[in-house]
Amino acid sequence: MREQVAKFIVNGRVYEILIEPRMTLAEVLREKLCLTGTKLSCGKGSCGACTVLINGKTVCSCLTLAITAKEKNIITIEGLAKDTTLHPLQKAFIEYGAIQCGFCTPGMIISAKALLDENSTPTKREIKQALVGNLCRCTGYVKIVDAVMAASEALAKGDR
Amino acid sequence: MTEGFFVVGRRIPSPDGVAKATGAAKYAADIKLPGMLIGRILRSPYPHANILKIDKTKAEKLPGVEAIITLDDLPRIQYSGSFRDLPMLRSGHLEKPDQFILADKARYVGDAIAAVAAIKEDIADEALNLIEVKYEKLSAVINPEEAMKPMAPKIHEYAEGNISGHSTYSLAKGDVERALSEADMVVEATYKTTKQVSAQLEPQTVIADYDATGRVTVWSPCQLPHLAKRELAHIFNIPVGRIRLINPFVGGSFGCRLSIYSEPICIALAMKTGKPVKIEYNKEQDFIGLETRTPAKYDVKIGFKKDGTLLAIQLKIISWAGGYAGRSQRIAYAMLLWGLGHYRCPNKAGEAYNVYTNTPMSGAMRGFGNPEIMWGIEQTMDIAAERLGIDPVELRLRNILKVGELSNKGISIESIALEECIRIGAERIGWKEKRGKKKEDGPKCRGVGMATASHTSGGYPGLLEHSNALIKLNEDGSASLIIHPGAPGTGILGTLSQIAAEELGIRSEDINVVTGDTDITMFDLGSHASRSTYVIGNAVLMAARQAKSQLIERAAKLLGVLPTELMIRDRRIYIKGNPEKSVSVAEVTRNAIYNFDGECANISGKGLWEPKSSAPPTAAYFAEVEVNTETGKVTVLKFVTAVDSGKAINPMMVEGQAEGGIAQGIGYALTEDYVFNQSTGVVVTNNFDTYRIPSIAEIPETEIVIIEEPEPTGPFGAKGTGELSAAGVAPAIANAVYDAVGIRIKELPITPQKILAALGKGCQRQNYSGDEKGNL
Amino acid sequence: MIRTIKPFEYFEAKTVEYAIKILSMYGNKAKVLAGGTDLLISMRERKVNPQYVVYIKNVPELNYINYRREFGLEIGAMATLQSITESRVVIEKFSALATACSKIGTPQVRNMGTIGGNLCQDTKCLYCGPILPREETSCYRGGGNICYAVNGAKRCQAMAIAETAPILICLGAEVSISTPIGQKTTSLEDFFISSGIVDLKEDEILTAIKVPNPPPNTEGMYLRHSLKGALGFALVGVATVLTVINGVCKDVKIGLLGVNRTPIRAHKAEQLLKGEKINDSLIDRAVQVALKESHPLGDIFGSARYRREIVRVLIKRVINDTHRMLK
C-alpha cells in the first residue's frame, strides 16, 4: 500500500488527495492543498508553529501522518476568517499588536481558538497553560495574552 | 501627546497584520516556482579538517540529481558573508574577508563542504549521503584560551595566534592607569557571556533563479539587501545591476539575518542547473549555520571617587569569532563603545581581541554587543554601590550623561531622559519597599535589581549611514511609500507609514507600503543598529515633505490662495482660519494627473537622509526575582523597563520591542546556554527542545513605561529603540538575584546549579563527567 | 537532520489481533505507531527505519479509561495523555497520575501522545542525535564508539524518560501485553529492563495498564523538576504513595525517574520508613538511603551532584506533603 487516495476535510471542505503514507499532515496541507499558513520549524513538537486542530484538539501537524488524519475535521489558520470577516482572535491579535514577524501567529491563534472553544472565559493562567506549546521569539508574549483575553470578551459579547 | 499629532503617537496596528493573521503572508518556504529544485548542503562532521578529495561520481549518478558542486566548481573569491569587505566604515578600514562559497578547509562542525540540487527533497538528502569526502583531521580548538596558545593549530593562514582582529577604544581619554591608582576605590571583576542564538522561528530559506538574460534573482531574508546585492555581485563577478534581491515575509532575525549564508551556494546551483533552486535549512542547521551572539570573556576595572562618581574605566575583552569572523570583530569593538561610553568618566580605555575557534560563527544579535558588555558593567556598578554604601539607583543617577555631554559615539547629546526612566522605573518596581529586604517565604527569597543602558539610532559616525525613500500620490488620495528597511517583522512598516501619513495629512491606512524588491527600491542600508525609525523615518519625512509641498502648491492654485495660507489635515487641504474652503488630497492628485492646462504631474516626493548624529536612546531596567534556595531555580516575578525613546511614533510597537527584549533577556540570563561537546566540537543544544527560549509560562508581570523626551534630530522627535530593549535585562536580573540571596553570578547563564553550588549545597561528587556547570 | 520520512508500507489496525499479525509477519522491520510524537521524530532522524508501520491508535478496544470499585483503574494503552489528565475518575482517585500526565510535553503533545506510547518509548539521550550522516562519527546508539552527551562514557548513556512510570510503579500498576500466543500480565516495575526500555518483543503490544485501588489512608504525589522552564524534559521525577495509620507509616513506595537508566523504586529507603512514625530526621535518613540507591549521571543538563540535590529536595517534599495530607 504505497500511494493511495484519501479523503480530507479541511476547513469544512472535502478533498480527495493522492498521498503516500509517509507524508505528514503538514506536508499535505502545505504542498498538496497549498495552505501554507501552517508553518514548519523545529520538526520535534517543541515549538508549535505547525499546530492545527483535528476534531477540535490541537496537534502538531509535522508529527501527524496525514493518513491518520483522513476523514477527521481539520481546521487550519486559513479556516478562521469567513471571506473578509476575521475571527475575533485574528482581529484581537492584529489590534493588540500581538503579531510581529508573524511566523508563530497561525499556530498561536489555532491554540487560542481551541482554548476559547472549550473555555470561553479563561483566566490569564489558563491562557498561558493553553499556549505553552507555542513558542514566540519576537513579542515576549505580553500582547498575545492581552489579545486572547480581548477576543474572549468579544466572543462573550456575541461577536460572530 | 499635546503637539496635536493626527497619526503619530497612535497605537495603529501594523499594515501586514491581516496577511500574517490569516496565513496569507508568504515566507520563503511558502514560495514555489515552476521547475524549482531542492538544494541541500553537505556539512563537515569535523571541527577542523583538510579536505583532501571529494568524489561526487556516485551521487551524480542518482536519478533526479541535477547538480553537485564543490569549491573547485566555483569562483574562488574570498568574501565576507557579513560584508566586512565592503567599504562601510568611515575610517576606511576594510576587514579581511575569510570565506569562500564552499569551504576550502573545514573550520567547524557544520562548515559547508559541498552542495546538491535535485528534483525532490529525499533525492537531495540521499545524494548528500553518496558524496564521498576524504578528510584529514586536524587538531581543533574549541575555546579562545586554547586557540590563543602558541602551539595551537592555525585556523586561518593569515591569523597569527588565531587572532582575527584587535581593536582599541577610539574615544579613549585621560590616563586610565594613573586614575585607577588615584581612585578612592577600584572594583575589578571578570565576566563571561554565552553564545546566545537568535532562535527565530522561521528556518533560514533562500531561493535563487538565474534567467536566460544572465539576471540573478534571490529571495532572501537578508536585512541589508542592497549591501547583499553588492557582495553577491562581487563574488560572482557580475554587474550589481544584474542582481535582484527580494525579501519575502521574514520570520524574525534579531541580528543573524544581517549576513548572507547559503545565497551564494544557491545562486551557484541555479547557474549550473538553469533552474530555480531553494535551499531550506532545518532548525538544527539554523543553530549551527547562522551567526549567533558573540560570546566573550572580559575584565572590567572601574575606579570610583568616594561620592560614587566614576574616575576611570578600563575594559579588556576576548571575544570568540568561531571558524569565520562573521560580524564578531565589529561586536568586540562595539562592546568597547557601549561599555566605556555609557557613563560620564574622564579616563577611559579598552581593547578587544577577537579570536578564531573551531566553532560555528559568532556575530551580531540584538544589541550588537550592548547586552554582552552591560552584563559586566552594571554588575560592577552594583558591587561598587554596596562597597561605597550608596544605593544602586543613586549611584547611576550620579553618573549618567546629560544633554550637551558627549554620547557613547562621541557626539553631543541633544536629548536624554534616562534620569526620569530611572526614577519612574524604581517607583514602579517598588524599589524602596523591596530592596535589601531579603523577603523570605520558606526556601524562596525575593529581591530587586536594576540596570541601565544606552544604545544608538543608526550606525553614524562609525558606519556609512543613509536611506532613501520615494512617495507617490495616487488618484484616490492614497500614497505609495517605496522604502526598503529589509524588515524581519519588527513593525517598522507601520511606523514608517505613520510618519508619512502624518506629514502628508492623510491617514495611516491610506499608505500602501511597497518594499522588499531591490529592483524597485532606492538604496537603503536596511535594518540594523536600530536605524529604521530614525534614519529611514527621516528619509520618509523628507519625501513626504516634498510631496506635501507639491500638494499645497497645486491646491493653492485650485483654491486661489497663497500656499502659506493652507494646511492639510485628515485627507483635506484647508485654508487656515476658513475651514469651509477646502479641497481633498485625492482631488488635487487627480487634477495633477489629468491636467489639461499643460501642467501634468504625478505628485511625488523623494527623500534622502544622511544623519549627522546617532540620537542615543536609553533605558532603565528593573527586575524582581524569586530564588528557590532548595532547587536553585530563579523566577522573574516582575519586570519594568522605562524607555527613553524620544517621541513614540507608535507606542504599541515600542512596547512590543521592549517586551520582546525582556523575554530574550530572561532567556539570556537564565536558560539559554549553547553547549559544545568540548572534544568533538559538536553542538549539543541544536533545537528548541534542548536550547530553551522562554515560553509563555515564564514571562513575568511586565510594565513598559515610555518617556517621550523629543529628539530634535529624529522624525517627529523619535529615536530607535529596537535593540535597547534587550541590553540591560540580564544584569538587572543578576543584581536582583544578589539582592535576594547574596550570590553574584558573573558567568552567564544563571543556572540553578550555579546558585546551589554557591549556596554550598549538594552531596559528594560522583565519578561522572559533567562538572559543576554541567560543562562537558 | 533530514525533514522527510522514508517510505514504508502502512497498515491501519482495527483490532489488536490484526496488529499482532502484522508484527509477527514482519518482525523487526515493523513498528507500531500511536501518537507519533516519539516514533516519527526517530524516523525523521533515520534512527529507526521501519519498512512497515502499524497504526494502532484507532483500535477501539485500546482506548478507554475504566474504573471499578472492586478492581481499580484500567487504562487502555491508547488513551491520550490529555484524556487521562482530564479524566474525572483519575483526578479524584489517582490525582498524582493525572498530575504526571499533565506535565508531559505541551498541550499538543498531550493530545497526540498516549500512555502506552509514553511507557514504551525509546530511551532518550538529551543530546538528540548528530547532524552527521556518517557512521564513523556516530555515537554509540548509531553504531559508533563515542558518546557526545557524556564525555568519556564507555557505553550509551540514554535513559528512560517515561514520566508516567514513577507514579504507576508506586501504585503497583500492572501491564497487560498481547502476544501471538495470548495475553500476559506483568508488574510495571518488572516491565522495565536494565537498558531502560520495556520488555516488549517485536510481536507484542502493550494493551492496558491496571492500577489497583490504593488502600484507605493513602495519598500519592508526583513532583518533577525540569531545568529549563515549563517545557523541559524532566531532569528528575519523584513519585510516592504513602499509607499512614495513627501517625505510623504502614506502607510507602518511592519511585524515581532520571536517576538510573530505568525508573526505579527506592526499596531500601522504603524499608527504613515502614513501620516508623514519620518525622523530619527519619525522612532525612530515608533520603540519604534513596540517594545511595540512585546513580544519576552528569550531562549537559545537570551535573550528577545537582541531580542528587534535586532528588533529595523532591523526595523530602513528596513524603512531607503526602504525610501532611493524611493528617
Side-chain angles (χ1 to χ4, degrees):
Chain A
M1 264 138 279
R2 290 295 161 108
E3 284 202 325
Q4 53 183 274
V5 174
K7 179 165 124 181
F8 289 91
I9 309 166
V10 182
N11 298 327
R13 279 180 61 177
V14 177
Y15 300 90
E16 304 253 331
I17 310 174
L18 188 65
I19 59 164
E20 284 181 76
R22 67 169 174 144
M23 293 179 80
T24 62
L25 179 59
E27 276 172 69
V28 166
L29 291 170
R30 289 175 53 81
E31 310 294 322
K32 298 272 184 181
L33 295 179
C34 295
L35 296 171
T36 56
T38 302
K39 304 299 179 201
L40 293 173
S41 186
C42 72
K44 288 183 132 163
S46 297
C47 71
C50 67
T51 307
V52 299
L53 295 180
I54 297 185
N55 290 346
K57 300 236 180 270
T58 53
V59 300
C60 289
S61 60
C62 80
L63 289 181
T64 303
L65 288 183
I67 200 165
T68 65
K70 61 182 183 182
E71 294 171 40
K72 294 188 183 158
N73 192 10
I74 300 170
I75 306 280
T76 71
I77 188 69
E78 289 91 345
L80 258 59
K82 292 279 181 277
D83 297 319
T84 51
T85 308
L86 298 175
H87 186 279
L89 274 168
Q90 291 169 310
K91 279 194 212 135
F93 265 65
I94 294 168
E95 202 183 306
Y96 281 75
I99 307 176
Q100 286 187 31
C101 84
F103 204 76
C104 77
T105 302
M108 193 73 74
I109 291 181
I110 291 288
S111 287
K113 177 174 179 356
L115 169 70
L116 294 184
D117 285 350
E118 201 180 313
N119 173 1
S120 55
T121 52
T123 60
K124 260 194 182 164
R125 189 148 186 265
E126 285 166 334
I127 293 174
K128 289 185 182 183
Q129 280 171 345
L131 299 186
V132 78
N134 290 80
L135 294 178
C136 173
R137 193 54 160 166
C138 298
T139 66
Y141 304 104
V142 177
K143 295 189 184 328
I144 291 177
V145 176
D146 291 345
V148 179
M149 262 315 202
S152 76
E153 282 157 22
L155 281 163
K157 280 206 205 102
D159 285 7
R160 146 63 186 286
Chain B
M1 235 61 94
T2 54
E3 305 94 328
F5 289 127
F6 192 63
V7 172
V8 158
R10 286 179 46 203
R11 304 172 72 89
I12 299 178
S14 190
D16 52 14
V18 175
K20 291 171 178 171
T22 56
K26 296 264 178 283
Y27 300 79
D30 306 326
I31 297 174
K32 277 192 280 258
L33 301 172
M36 191 169 78
L37 302 174
I38 304 296
R40 284 283 198 267
I41 298 172
L42 180 68
R43 295 185 178 274
S44 164
Y46 304 114
H48 201 196
N50 282 324
I51 303 165
L52 299 177
K53 184 166 183 272
I54 305 180
D55 186 351
K56 11 177 195 162
T57 40
K58 274 203 206 132
E60 271 171 334
K61 290 205 186 94
L62 191 67
V65 168
E66 303 236 343
I68 302 192
I69 53 174
T70 65
L71 186 56
D72 289 338
D73 306 309
L74 302 170
R76 208 181 173 90
I77 297 188
Q78 253 186 337
Y79 69 95
S80 166
S82 48
F83 318 137
R84 290 171 300 117
D85 53 344
L86 293 183
M88 296 301 301
L89 294 174
R90 242 168 246 280
S91 62
H93 176 61
L94 278 179
E95 287 175 49
K96 177 140 183 38
D98 57 5
Q99 290 171 275
F100 292 107
I101 299 177
L102 290 170
D104 58 324
K105 177 174 94 154
R107 292 186 174 84
Y108 65 95
V109 175
D111 206 350
I113 307 295
V116 167
I119 56 175
K120 271 165 60 168
E121 270 190 272
D122 33 357
I123 298 177
D125 288 328
E126 210 192 315
L128 284 187
N129 270 337
L130 295 174
I131 300 175
E132 290 171 347
V133 185
K134 212 172 154 113
Y135 292 100
E136 179 195 4
K137 285 200 264 193
L138 303 168
S139 67
V141 279
I142 309 294
N143 66 57
E145 277 93 7
E146 291 299 314
M148 292 197 297
K149 286 193 177 139
M151 298 311 289
K154 236 186 187 185
I155 300 175
H156 286 273
E157 268 319 299
Y158 81 93
E160 284 303 323
N162 286 318
I163 307 281
S164 111
H166 173 237
S167 351
T168 44
Y169 183 52
S170 58
L171 300 171
K173 61 181 192 176
D175 182 342
V176 167
E177 294 300 336
R178 202 179 80 185
L180 284 171
S181 65
E182 288 170 359
D184 293 326
M185 185 193 74
V186 176
V187 179
E188 192 176 342
T190 303
Y191 299 90
K192 229 172 147 191
T193 61
T194 46
K195 198 167 155 65
Q196 185 181 30
V197 178
S198 282
Q200 79 290 346
L201 266 287
E202 184 210 2
Q204 181 77 352
T205 305
V206 168
I207 305 173
D209 194 12
Y210 182 66
D211 71 23
T213 68
R215 278 206 106 213
V216 173
T217 308
V218 189
W219 286 259
S220 157
C222 183
Q223 298 168 237
L224 309 176
H226 287 272
L227 295 184
K229 254 178 70 168
R230 182 170 173 179
E231 190 72 58
L232 291 169
H234 162 66
I235 296 170
F236 290 96
N237 196 25
I238 57 182
V240 179
R242 293 262 180 89
I243 304 209
R244 177 184 184 193
L245 199 140
I246 299 177
N247 295 126
F249 278 87
V250 174
S253 165
F254 317 108
C256 66
R257 285 161 165 167
L258 289 173
S259 302
I260 54 172
Y261 301 96
S262 59
E263 284 84 342
I265 300 173
C266 214
I267 294 173
L269 287 170
M271 284 176 168
K272 189 136 189 241
T273 59
K275 294 186 182 160
V277 177
K278 178 195 270 188
I279 297 184
E280 195 178 336
Y281 285 10
N282 58 39
K283 241 328 136 192
E284 282 83 359
Q285 288 162 354
D286 271 4
F287 272 78
I288 51 148
L290 303 178
E291 285 181 23
T292 67
R293 197 178 282 288
T294 301
K297 185 172 171 180
Y298 53 90
D299 301 322
V300 179
K301 247 193 220 171
I302 307 185
F304 292 85
K305 297 220 297 250
K306 252 197 302 254
D307 67 355
T309 52
L310 267 70
L311 192 59
I313 177 168
Q314 186 185 76
L315 287 176
K316 290 203 171 127
I317 303 172
I318 295 177
S319 56
W320 293 33
Y324 301 89
R327 218 167 246 101
S328 52
Q329 181 60 29
R330 300 256 170 101
I331 299 294
Y333 180 71
M335 285 171 75
L336 295 171
L337 278 186
W338 314 128
L340 296 167
H342 179 52
Y343 291 115
R344 180 186 309 114
C345 186
N347 302 281
K348 10 189 202 179
E351 61 174 350
Y353 284 92
N354 193 35
V355 183
Y356 282 120
T357 54
N358 292 117
T359 56
M361 281 190 279
S362 309
M365 186 176 165
R366 195 175 198 160
F368 211 88
N370 212 338
E372 290 91 316
I373 199 68
M374 295 320 277
W375 167 252
I377 300 283
E378 287 300 271
Q379 287 204 65
T380 308
M381 291 295 279
D382 252 38
I383 295 172
E386 192 181 45
R387 289 199 204 156
L388 291 168
I390 302 175
D391 180 275
V393 165
E394 187 52 42
L395 185 66
R396 300 327 192 275
L397 291 172
R398 289 185 195 175
N399 288 291
I400 54 176
L401 297 167
K402 299 202 183 344
V403 170
E405 293 186 279
L406 298 183
S407 73
N408 49 24
K409 300 273 194 81
I411 303 169
S412 181
I413 295 173
E414 302 203 39
S415 78
I416 186 167
L418 186 52
E419 183 177 330
E420 204 182 332
C421 288
I422 294 173
R423 291 195 195 284
I424 289 193
E427 189 192 299
R428 298 287 167 91
I429 199 79
W431 185 263
K432 282 205 171 59
E433 302 82 46
K434 296 177 185 168
R435 177 76 181 179
K437 300 294 190 297
K438 290 216 180 357
K439 179 157 163 241
E440 282 178 39
D441 169 22
K444 297 183 183 171
C445 299
R446 294 190 180 186
V448 290
M450 70 156 305
T452 61
S454 51
H455 201 67
T456 186
S457 306
Y460 183 86
L463 287 180
L464 182 72
E465 230 347 320
H466 73 104
S467 284
N468 293 274
L470 286 172
I471 288 180
K472 67 170 178 131
L473 271 292
N474 303 312
E475 306 165 30
D476 59 353
S478 69
S480 296
L481 173 61
I482 303 162
I483 42 170
H484 207 153
T490 51
I492 189 63
L493 299 180
T495 300
L496 296 173
S497 301
Q498 282 173 261
I499 292 174
E502 183 69 49
E503 187 63 22
L504 286 169
I506 56 181
R507 294 188 191 168
S508 191
E509 63 257 37
D510 299 333
I511 304 285
N512 173 38
V513 177
V514 177
T515 188
D517 185 340
T518 58
D519 265 4
I520 299 172
T521 57
M522 298 193 28
F523 186 90
D524 197 315
L525 287 180
S527 285
H528 79 127
S530 301
R531 64 186 298 277
S532 319
T533 303
Y534 182 67
V535 185
I536 308 180
N538 266 325
V540 168
L541 190 55
M542 298 291 107
R545 240 172 237 168
Q546 204 178 79
K548 179 177 176 177
S549 75
Q550 289 174 33
L551 278 171
I552 299 267
E553 212 181 293
R554 295 248 169 186
K557 282 211 187 110
L558 288 172
L559 293 171
V561 294
L562 291 173
T564 46
E565 296 177 63
L566 293 176
M567 56 169 267
I568 316 183
R569 196 162 179 88
D570 198 15
R571 300 167 166 167
R572 296 202 70 87
I573 306 172
Y574 300 90
I575 300 180
K576 292 180 200 168
N578 187 5
E580 272 75 60
K581 276 201 93 180
S582 70
V583 64
S584 72
V585 168
E587 223 178 297
V588 175
T589 308
R590 233 179 356 254
N591 178 273
I593 294 175
Y594 299 101
N595 188 293
F596 291 92
D597 297 329
E599 290 175 330
C600 289
N602 187 168
I603 295 179
S604 59
K606 192 165 125 183
L608 156 73
W609 181 258
E610 194 180 346
K612 298 288 180 281
S613 180
S614 64
T618 65
Y621 313 79
F622 290 83
E624 184 183 357
V625 306
E626 181 178 86
V627 182
N628 186 323
T629 55
E630 274 186 342
T631 62
K633 225 164 179 183
V634 174
T635 311
V636 183
L637 300 173
K638 184 166 174 176
F639 204 96
V640 176
T641 304
V643 187
D644 157 31
S645 63
K647 174 73 193 159
I649 305 290
N650 187 324
M652 194 162 74
M653 299 300 156
V654 176
E655 285 164 12
Q657 290 298 308
E659 288 153 3
I662 290 172
Q664 287 183 5
I666 290 176
Y668 191 43
L670 301 177
T671 59
E672 293 182 39
D673 201 1
Y674 189 93
V675 181
F676 296 99
N677 177 292
Q678 294 287 325
S679 57
T680 60
V682 167
V683 176
V684 183
T685 49
N686 63 354
N687 205 326
F688 286 119
D689 55 348
T690 44
Y691 183 88
R692 306 289 330 176
I693 68 174
S695 72
I696 199 170
E698 289 139 86
I699 50 159
E701 183 194 331
T702 310
E703 193 177 337
I704 311 296
V705 183
I706 300 176
I707 311 288
E708 292 181 289
E709 181 67 37
E711 162 62 40
T713 61
F716 298 114
K719 296 195 272 204
T721 62
E723 290 174 276
L724 180 69
S725 47
V729 178
I733 293 173
N735 289 335
V737 167
Y738 184 79
D739 188 46
V741 289
I743 292 169
R744 187 163 290 289
I745 305 288
K746 300 204 188 96
E747 187 171 324
L748 280 169
I750 302 171
T751 62
Q753 294 181 96
K754 289 177 188 165
I755 299 277
L756 284 191
L759 287 170
K761 292 207 176 154
C763 28
Q764 75 270 36
R765 256 182 197 287
Q766 284 301 287
N767 203 14
Y768 287 92
S769 69
D771 63 12
E772 214 48 57
K773 295 161 204 146
N775 284 331
L776 297 173
Chain C
M1 194 196 81
I2 311 140
R3 245 198 230 285
T4 59
I5 296 172
K6 270 182 145 168
F8 53 83
E9 205 160 323
Y10 173 82
F11 302 93
E12 180 174 337
K14 282 283 159 56
T15 62
V16 176
E17 201 187 318
Y18 178 79
I20 302 260
K21 197 170 79 171
I22 304 291
L23 293 178
S24 308
M25 260 205 295
Y26 297 111
N28 65 5
K29 295 208 188 98
K31 278 253 180 262
V32 291
L33 173 68
T37 54
D38 186 42
L39 179 66
L40 289 184
I41 296 176
S42 297
M43 285 173 73
R44 196 179 264 140
E45 291 176 346
R46 303 292 189 263
K47 281 189 185 147
V48 160
N49 295 297
Q51 291 171 354
Y52 306 92
V53 171
V54 186
Y55 186 57
I56 57 171
K57 204 164 170 206
N58 274 347
V59 176
E61 65 195 272
L62 291 179
N63 193 350
Y64 59 90
I65 301 173
N66 285 341
Y67 177 76
R68 280 183 296 173
R69 214 147 19 101
E70 315 86 79
F71 300 112
L73 182 69
E74 185 170 321
I75 306 179
M78 291 296 106
T80 63
L81 297 168
Q82 186 60 23
S83 66
I84 300 170
T85 304
E86 289 171 349
S87 154
R88 193 121 52 91
V89 71
V90 176
I91 293 172
E92 274 171 19
K93 300 199 186 301
F94 301 88
S95 64
L97 176 60
T99 304
C101 289
S102 76
K103 300 282 187 203
I104 297 171
T106 65
Q108 291 90 324
V109 165
R110 292 194 282 277
N111 282 329
M112 300 159 78
T114 62
I115 189 163
N118 185 257
L119 290 170
C120 297
Q121 73 182 296
D122 204 356
T123 50
K124 279 267 182 310
C125 165
L126 293 174
Y127 166 57
C128 289
I131 46 142
L132 329 158
R134 295 285 144 65
E135 262 172 34
E136 79 227 32
T137 47
S138 178
C139 63
Y140 288 120
R141 182 182 283 253
N145 50 18
I146 191 171
C147 172
Y148 287 111
V150 183
N151 239 357
K154 299 282 185 293
R155 56 174 169 78
C156 183
Q157 301 294 325
M159 62 168 107
I161 61 161
E163 276 198 77
T164 52
I167 187 61
L168 284 172
I169 289 175
C170 289
L171 289 166
E174 286 188 328
V175 288
S176 293
I177 299 156
S178 226
T179 81
I181 49 172
Q183 289 276 111
K184 63 180 185 187
T185 307
T186 181
S187 79
L188 181 60
E189 194 178 347
D190 295 335
F191 193 39
F192 280 94
I193 55 179
S194 59
S195 62
I197 54 172
V198 296
D199 186 16
L200 209 57
K201 314 260 182 313
E202 281 158 12
D203 54 4
E204 295 178 345
I205 292 180
L206 169 67
T207 53
I209 296 99
K210 297 191 176 117
V211 189
N213 272 317
N217 302 310
T218 304
E219 280 292 344
M221 191 172 194
Y222 175 70
L223 286 178
R224 55 109 79 172
H225 184 81
S226 97
L227 191 56
K228 301 206 173 202
L231 295 184
F233 290 117
L235 201 67
V236 167
V238 173
T240 194
V241 172
L242 179 68
T243 309
V244 172
I245 299 182
N246 293 329
V248 170
C249 166
K250 181 118 196 316
D251 197 4
V252 66
K253 312 274 197 304
I254 301 172
L256 305 174
L257 179 76
V259 302
N260 220 332
R261 290 187 93 188
T262 77
I264 58 164
R265 274 207 14 225
H267 287 280
K268 295 207 182 92
E270 292 169 3
Q271 287 311 314
L272 201 70
L273 288 166
K274 263 171 52 172
E276 301 289 332
K277 255 185 148 60
I278 302 222
N279 59 49
D280 270 346
S281 73
L282 180 69
I283 296 180
D284 282 341
R285 274 189 293 137
V287 166
Q288 286 309 313
V289 170
L291 286 172
K292 286 212 181 70
E293 296 180 81
S294 352
H295 305 281
L297 303 174
D299 65 17
I300 53 160
F301 291 121
S303 67
R305 180 172 170 164
Y306 178 70
R307 274 191 162 96
R308 300 172 81 77
E309 184 58 28
I310 298 301
V311 168
R312 193 185 69 77
V313 167
L314 292 186
I315 295 180
K316 208 167 161 176
R317 223 189 277 171
V318 295
I319 304 283
N320 267 327
D321 286 1
T322 45
H323 184 213
R324 208 172 304 132
M325 284 194 269
L326 288 166
K327 279 206 182 118

